[in-house]
Amino acid sequence: SAHKFHTLINCVTFPHPDTMQEQQLLKPTEWSYCDYFWADKKDPQGNNTVSGFEILLQKQLKGKQMQKEMAEFVRERIKIEEEYAKNLSKLSQNSLAAQEEGTLGEAWAQLKKSLADEAEVHLKFSSKLQSEVEKPLLNFRENFKKDMKKYDHHIADLRKQLASRYTAVEKARKALTERQKDLEMKTQQLEIKLSNKAEEEIKKARRKSTQAGDDLMRCVDLYNQAQSKWFEEMVTSTLELERLEVERVEMIRQHLCQYTQLRHETDMFNQSTIDPVDQLLQKVEPAKDRELWVQEHKTGDIRPVDMEI
């Protein structure tokens, strides 16, 4: 029987381990989706099986979820920046030490203003994070779940068709076995008692047996067509999912690079808010400040002299 060459698993025909010729992978060395997800997998929770294709779909949906969670994370990062900016800005308007005078007073005023400048930098950072990192992560592939459902149904339908054609093959195989038994029985009866009627019966039985054989071949042919169709769609669909995953990883990588880029820029801009403070600190001159202060507050420059009698 042909069964030596095959193992049937969930209506899919695989080569029998004993007689299997070495199969080439479709994409050797690439660890491609199209090569490693042909069999079904036992569901560890229940007694159900999960198709290889469903496992790939789960990976896609999980990827979509991860991307969403990354966007959430960036949203939290944005909040921290906004809060920080708000606090800096508020502090820069504080009146502490506002009465410091002279060159030191100028440097101090600039230091306070630098907080407002820095707050500005943090706000810019947060708004760029939103437009260049968070938004793109959120909006990448909005109808993704719907698309995945389409794939799921498509491949599942092909599997269902394969199963029903397999049932037809089994039915036809059974029918053929019965017809062959019937023919054998009638042939044995003929050896016991010869008669025209018995000869007619045998002819009829032989015809039916041949017919059943043809039926079986037709059913196997239809089954093989269904399996080929499933095979081809599996290859194209798994490769499409593979392409989508590569695209997703590259998209995320690109936006995370954008994050680090913005973060570097923020450091540079923050640095520059300090430069004017440094410049003014270098110009602080105690002597100058004394001069200014004395001019404004002096009470008199005539010194006392000795008393004379």
Side-chain angles (χ1 to χ4, degrees), residues 186 189-190 193-203:
K186 288 186 169 144
Q189 280 170 358
L190 181 62
K193 59 176 202 338
L194 289 161
S195 75
N196 286 347
K197 187 165 181 289
E199 287 226 15
E200 272 306 306
E201 289 278 299
I202 281 184
K203 269 187 184 159

Side-chain angles (χ1 to χ4, degrees), residues 22-77:
E22 191 55 48
Q23 282 185 343
Q24 255 313 108
L25 291 172
L26 298 173
K27 299 186 123 200
T29 75
E30 284 194 39
W31 293 96
S32 173
Y33 285 176
C34 72
D35 272 317
Y36 293 97
F37 292 87
W38 291 108
D40 299 336
K41 200 179 185 180
K42 265 249 181 293
D43 190 3
Q45 271 83 50
N47 309 324
N48 297 351
T49 56
V50 184
S51 72
F53 192 71
E54 282 174 277
I55 287 173
L56 289 173
L57 283 176
Q58 284 164 11
K59 166 74 172 144
Q60 296 282 326
L61 293 174
K62 187 177 170 191
K64 176 71 174 158
Q65 179 60 23
M66 291 306 98
Q67 169 197 323
K68 196 176 141 221
E69 288 182 19
M70 284 180 191
E72 271 173 44
F73 183 91
V74 175
R75 158 77 4 222
E76 289 306 309
R77 182 75 177 88

